[in-house]
Amino acid sequence: MSDPAYMSAREAAEELGVSQSTLYAYVSRGLIRSEAGSTNSRARRYHRADIEALVRKKAQRQEPGLVAEAALDWGAPVLESAITAIARGELYYRGHDAVALARTASVEEVAGLIWTGELVPVPATPCPGLASPRWRAIHARMDGVSAFEAFAVLVPLAAADDPAAYDTRPVAVASTGARLLRLLLAIATDGAPSPDGFAVTLARHWAPKAPAAEALLSACLILAADHELNVSAFTARCVASAGATPYAVIAGGLAALSGARHGGHADRVEALLREVGEPPQARVVLADRLRRGEEIAGFGHTLYPLGDPRGRALLALLREHMPDSPGLALAESAVEAVEALTGEPPTIDFGLAAIARALGLPSRSAIALFAMGRAIGWIGQAIEQYANGRLIRPRARYVGPAIPESTASDGT
């Protein structure tokens, strides 16, 4: 049986649409690897991956518009970044394993890594907007509004009291980012910023009776910090490319994250867990969803065919820190049911919602956690884009009604 990783000379030439002599020229130029075939044959074989790569390059040259369009939907990379890599099914921040960081580093250290390249904690810098009577008056009227919804209102409001945010040098943006993190924390905890660490303060306010809250919330924030060029990160870069301040970058990121196809997945997982209710109901409820043609949110990720390492890590931490939690039992019953029904493993959205439920947090806490963590990445993306100095302005391929021919007089 032939090895699917290789092609014969004839097959390779046909795939490329060239003669075999041209194929040999490609080999001599190092574009295609070849090696001896079986011991009883003098024929050489050619690496299929190299052939397919050349075919893709040829298509890009012939139809650049189609390639650009495909790149916008889980396609080829369109921007360079030194922040996040997804490789071999794992997630890395500047070369550091994100799952390992979630167990060993603080939120402030990961922010420092993403913003400066050094695993050094950013300082707990107070945000000047918090002292504004106008800001405080609006904040006081946010009772009954979720933390995530409050972010969207109060972040832009605080921008008016922080003129230093217009300084877009890398060091200055990192300082503004530190102030923004404290602003988000103050909004989430309904009070003045604390000098304590981010996760400590959040855990003390959100789950004061849960000893494991600090470790779990810290891991949620770190694993949500960045994820390459997702829709909110791309939005953040577009806003930064226009020269807007980091406050506007965060506001843009929040708007994108709110969508049902992005951070809104966390809301849908919370609703899913409420619908399941009790572990014995998981298979029936989830099978009914499939029967009705409804999506099961929180499972399966395009970039992780073998499973989202972030979701896997969050559930592992929940098992370690709260093994007897009813929230864990509910989450595991849902995971078992979905994997039996569809084979899809849980994503970070499921992990965030599972931890929020286990800690007894209010509705929409999972997306608020997502936003606070991802704000670190948005600032990192903005730092890169400010330094790049280029405006992100792609062209559209017009497909509307035909443009009328010019009616200008030709002078006759």
Side-chain angles (χ1 to χ4, degrees), residues 40-383:
N40 59 353
S41 172
R42 298 178 59 188
R44 298 186 68 80
R45 59 184 187 174
Y46 302 82
H47 285 247
R48 183 181 296 274
D50 295 346
I51 306 298
E52 293 175 347
L54 276 180
V55 170
R56 288 193 298 270
K57 287 182 180 179
K58 184 177 180 181
Q60 290 173 8
R61 289 194 298 270
Q62 294 175 341
E63 296 287 350
L66 295 179
V67 174
E69 180 180 348
L72 295 177
D73 185 20
W74 304 95
V78 296
L79 288 172
E80 292 185 347
S81 176
I83 297 174
T84 296
I86 299 170
R88 300 181 298 278
E90 303 297 337
L91 177 67
Y92 298 87
Y93 299 151
R94 296 194 184 275
H96 295 255
D97 187 320
V99 170
L101 289 172
R103 290 178 172 273
T104 61
S106 69
V107 174
E108 291 81 1
E109 286 174 328
V110 171
L113 176 65
I114 288 176
W115 297 348
T116 71
E118 300 291 335
L119 193 61
V120 177
V122 296
T125 308
C127 178
L130 295 174
S132 165
R134 176 182 58 251
W135 191 91
R136 290 188 174 189
I138 299 298
H139 185 208
R141 300 179 65 178
M142 302 296 286
D143 287 345
V145 175
S146 73
F148 182 74
E149 292 163 323
F151 294 158
V153 174
L154 295 171
V155 167
L157 187 62
D161 297 293
D162 193 358
Y166 286 96
D167 187 345
T168 57
R169 294 172 300 160
V171 173
V173 178
S175 295
T176 302
R179 298 195 295 275
L180 275 160
L181 285 187
R182 284 289 147 170
L183 172 63
L184 293 172
L185 181 61
I187 296 170
T189 57
D190 297 322
S194 165
D196 296 326
F198 198 112
V200 172
T201 303
L202 192 62
R204 186 166 56 227
H205 182 84
W206 277 17
K209 297 181 180 180
E214 180 186 345
L216 292 174
L217 294 176
S218 179
C220 288
L221 295 164
I222 289 171
L223 289 172
D226 196 69
H227 200 235
E228 202 206 51
L229 208 57
N230 52 80
V231 64
S232 61
F234 185 67
T235 300
R237 290 194 79 120
C238 288
V239 173
S241 82
T245 73
Y247 283 84
V249 167
I250 297 298
L254 288 168
L257 190 69
S258 70
R261 297 177 67 183
H262 190 13
H265 273 286
D267 284 338
R268 291 154 68 190
V269 176
E270 285 188 354
L272 174 71
L273 292 175
R274 286 194 298 270
E275 183 181 353
V276 172
E278 299 292 335
Q281 300 300 313
R283 188 177 180 90
V284 172
V285 169
L286 296 171
D288 282 346
R289 281 205 167 200
L290 289 177
R291 191 175 297 114
R292 296 191 298 265
E294 298 174 1
E295 178 189 5
I296 300 179
F299 291 85
H301 197 295
T302 302
L303 296 180
Y304 300 109
L306 299 181
D308 186 340
R310 303 166 299 170
R312 186 166 57 243
L314 290 178
L315 290 176
L317 284 166
L318 185 54
R319 291 186 198 99
E320 292 174 24
H321 290 281
M322 301 183 70
D324 301 320
S325 164
L328 172 62
L330 179 64
E332 290 194 317
S333 69
V335 170
E336 291 172 5
V338 173
E339 290 189 337
L341 291 166
T342 70
E344 296 286 4
T347 66
I348 186 174
D349 307 280
F350 188 89
L352 292 171
I355 285 177
R357 187 177 181 96
L359 292 175
L361 305 185
S363 178
R364 305 213 77 193
S365 295
I367 193 172
L369 271 173
F370 203 159
M372 286 185 283
R374 187 56 55 88
I376 296 171
W378 295 334
I379 294 298
Q381 298 286 345
I383 289 172

